[in-house]
């Protein structure tokens, strides 16, 4: 990722410069920045940051929030919730840590998979996977890598499945707010379900992956305390600069979200037109939400071999389906980068040569 020239599979958007973030800060926010000292912050996150986060969650407060890096929170939550004898259901294809962490615990895992013709996830298929010892259900909408989304009614069905089986529902909502016009935005699971856990952060929606700021929201304060206790053995706390920059992002969310959405929509249209020029190579199902798509490819070898060849010859990095533990020939495409037109021109040149190999 850091040694190649072109990233076509990135799930995040171009990062905002710190100067741009500080330029829109209010006088109070600038004062916090100017008076900041590089000391420890509260383990759960400073109150001003948790209060800003809570304003995005109806009926929840700062007491329902815990701040850490997103990956850390996922790791801790799984280790706090699960034991080897538990069964869980997770979404597939999916972000690796949504399955690999629980594999390391030794749990039995079932995979909720979509219809590959449209990438739709059906709650009826989820319900069939429930077992007597199902402790946890893991979902992720907008979905990485397919860009799939569900309706409010389908989310309520999922919650009812979890509730009727007394299971926790961990909702990876890292692409929250990256929703296009005419699509109803899903509410956070934590606002709807007493055993719901919502994960969000600044990495994807806000274009600030380098801040490493994430948070979980939950009505279960006992669970949050267990996560906080575990965090004492890992990062301990968030850095002061990170907290203040995250505060500014949350308080001026539209300033960062809207340009990212505009860029994503523009790139989806561009990529769709580009694949129409190469129907023999790609089957493209446009994402319903989020910043990624899972694109089927026609390649001589595996998608991993295709990705390795592409990056070696052009410097274009893609993430193959094998990285998501999914059968078939797919690559993830990310739409959050401004240089997509340049990348597709390079990709065109490669396909001219590659067409003689299949």
């Amino acid at each position: 990722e850091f040694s190649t020239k072109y990233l076509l599979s990135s799930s995040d958007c171009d990062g905002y410069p710190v100067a741009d973030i500080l330029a829109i800060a209010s006088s109070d926010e600038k004062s916090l920045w100017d008076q900041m000292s590089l000391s420890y912050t509260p383990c759960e996150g400073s109150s001003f940051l948790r209060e800003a986060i809570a304003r995005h969650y109806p009926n929840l407060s700062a007491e329902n929030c815990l701040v850490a890096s997103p990956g850390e929170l996922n790791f801790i939550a799984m280790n706090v919730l699960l034991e080897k004898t538990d069964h869980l259901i997770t979404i597939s294809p999916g972000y690796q840590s949504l399955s690999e962490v629980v594999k390391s615990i030794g749990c039995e895992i079932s995979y909720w998979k979509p219809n590959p013709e449209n990438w739709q996830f059906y709650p009826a298929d989820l319900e069939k996977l429930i077992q007597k010892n199902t402790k946890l259900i893991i979902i992720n909408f907008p979905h990485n890598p397919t860009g799939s989304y569900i309706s409010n009614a389908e989310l309520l069905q999922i919650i009812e499945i979890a509730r009727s089986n007394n299971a926790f529902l961990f909702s990876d909502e890292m692409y929250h707010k990256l929703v296009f016009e005419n699509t109803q935005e899903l509410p956070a699971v934590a606002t709807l379900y007493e055993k719901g856990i919502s994960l969000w952060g600044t990495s994807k929606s806000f274009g600030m992956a380098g801040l490493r700021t994430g948070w979980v929201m939950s009505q279960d304060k006992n669970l949050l305390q267990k996560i906080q206790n575990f965090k004492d053995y890992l990062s301990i706390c968030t850095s002061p600069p990170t907290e203040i920059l995250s505060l500014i992002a949350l308080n001026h969310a539209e300033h960062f979200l809207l340009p990212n959405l505009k860029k994503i929509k523009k790139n989806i249209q561009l990529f769709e037109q580009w694949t129409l020029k190469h129907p023999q190579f790609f089957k493209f199902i446009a994402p319903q939400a989020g910043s990624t798509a899972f694109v089927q490819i026609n390649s001589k070898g595996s998608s991993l071999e295709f990705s390795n060849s592409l990056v070696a010859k052009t410097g274009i990095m893609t993430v193959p389906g094998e990285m998501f533990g999914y059968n078939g020939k797919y690559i993830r495409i990310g739409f959050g980068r401004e240089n997509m037109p340049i990348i597709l021109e390079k990709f065109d040149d490669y396909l001219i040569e590659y067409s003689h190999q299949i």
Side-chain angles (χ1 to χ4, degrees):
E1 181 177 356
F2 299 103
S3 61
T4 193
K5 192 169 183 180
Y6 303 108
L7 301 179
L8 186 56
S9 282
S10 296
S11 59
D12 60 330
C13 298
D14 292 305
Y16 282 101
V18 172
D20 289 2
I21 303 172
L22 293 175
I24 65 160
S26 68
S27 57
D28 288 342
E29 291 159 356
K30 287 178 181 174
S31 180
L32 275 175
W33 181 262
D34 292 338
Q35 297 173 25
M36 171 183 60
S37 62
L38 297 180
S39 56
Y40 284 108
T41 60
C43 181
E44 68 275 20
S46 293
S47 58
F48 64 78
L49 177 57
R50 289 185 296 119
E51 287 166 5
I53 292 168
R55 285 195 284 273
H56 291 266
Y57 296 85
N59 306 317
L60 296 181
S61 71
E63 294 181 351
N64 300 110
C65 177
L66 178 68
V67 179
S69 76
E72 180 183 28
L73 288 167
N74 174 60
F75 177 82
I76 296 175
M78 303 306 163
N79 277 278
V80 165
L81 283 171
L82 297 169
E83 298 178 1
K84 186 180 291 189
T85 53
D86 293 325
H87 169 259
L88 69 124
I89 301 166
T90 190
I91 209 159
S92 176
Y95 181 56
Q96 282 179 311
S97 71
L98 298 181
S99 58
E100 294 304 311
V101 174
V102 293
K103 279 184 184 178
S104 73
I105 297 170
C107 302
E108 181 185 357
I109 307 173
S110 296
Y111 295 96
W112 182 27
K113 297 182 179 181
N115 180 345
E117 294 302 313
N118 57 13
W119 295 131
Q120 289 299 299
F121 287 87
Y122 300 115
D125 294 335
L126 170 66
E127 191 165 23
K128 293 174 186 175
L129 300 173
I130 293 287
Q131 299 182 15
K132 290 182 179 179
N133 62 332
T134 300
K135 180 76 170 290
L136 175 67
I137 298 169
I138 302 172
I139 61 174
N140 165 221
F141 298 106
H143 181 235
N144 169 27
T146 69
S148 181
Y149 208 44
I150 56 174
S151 67
N152 280 22
E154 288 169 323
L155 179 60
L156 292 176
Q157 285 180 267
I158 293 167
I159 290 172
E160 186 50 41
I161 292 168
R163 182 180 281 122
S164 62
N165 290 279
N166 196 33
F168 286 93
L169 181 59
F170 184 93
S171 180
D172 177 349
E173 298 165 6
M174 289 302 293
Y175 300 85
H176 186 48
K177 298 288 184 183
L178 292 183
V179 178
F180 313 134
E181 294 99 339
N182 305 317
T183 300
Q184 187 175 11
E185 183 180 292
L186 294 175
V189 161
T191 65
L192 301 176
Y193 179 38
E194 60 277 8
K195 297 187 77 170
I197 306 158
S198 290
L199 172 71
W200 193 22
T202 60
S203 296
K204 312 300 183 182
S205 311
F206 291 90
M208 302 179 192
L211 288 181
R212 309 311 305 132
T213 303
W215 53 85
V216 286
M217 301 294 296
S218 177
Q219 298 178 35
D220 188 338
K221 295 179 183 177
N222 181 55
L223 172 63
L224 290 175
Q225 186 61 56
K226 289 180 180 178
I227 295 174
Q228 181 179 326
N229 292 347
F230 200 119
K231 183 187 171 187
D232 279 336
Y233 293 94
L234 298 175
S235 65
I236 302 176
C237 69
T238 311
S239 76
T242 286
E243 289 203 331
I244 296 170
L245 293 171
S246 300
L247 172 72
I248 298 168
L250 286 157
N251 286 347
H252 306 270
E254 296 301 306
H255 182 91
F256 302 103
L257 294 171
L258 293 180
N260 285 339
L261 270 170
K262 183 177 179 181
K263 186 192 313 177
I264 290 166
K265 288 187 287 186
K266 182 177 112 180
N267 281 336
I268 290 172
Q269 293 172 355
L270 175 67
F271 187 79
E272 187 165 31
Q273 291 300 314
W274 183 79
T275 58
L276 292 176
K277 291 164 44 183
H278 305 286
Q280 74 275 32
F281 288 117
F282 304 104
K283 179 184 176 183
F284 176 52
I285 301 171
Q288 297 172 292
S291 60
T292 64
F294 210 37
V295 180
Q296 190 171 20
I297 61 172
N298 176 23
S299 61
K300 184 177 180 180
S302 67
S303 48
L304 177 59
E305 290 170 333
F306 179 86
S307 291
N308 284 339
S309 171
L310 180 64
V311 72
K313 295 185 177 182
T314 67
I316 299 172
M317 178 183 166
T318 52
V319 179
E322 287 89 339
M323 300 300 102
F324 298 95
Y326 195 77
N327 293 329
K329 298 179 182 182
Y330 297 91
I331 56 174
R332 184 178 73 183
I333 300 296
F335 301 100
R337 300 300 178 97
E338 197 67 50
N339 66 343
M340 177 171 270
I342 297 171
I343 297 175
L344 295 183
E345 285 182 16
K346 300 289 183 183
F347 209 152
D348 266 328
D349 295 338
Y350 175 79
L351 289 177
I352 292 171
E353 176 185 345
Y354 188 78
S355 62
H356 302 299
Q357 302 177 32
I358 61 173

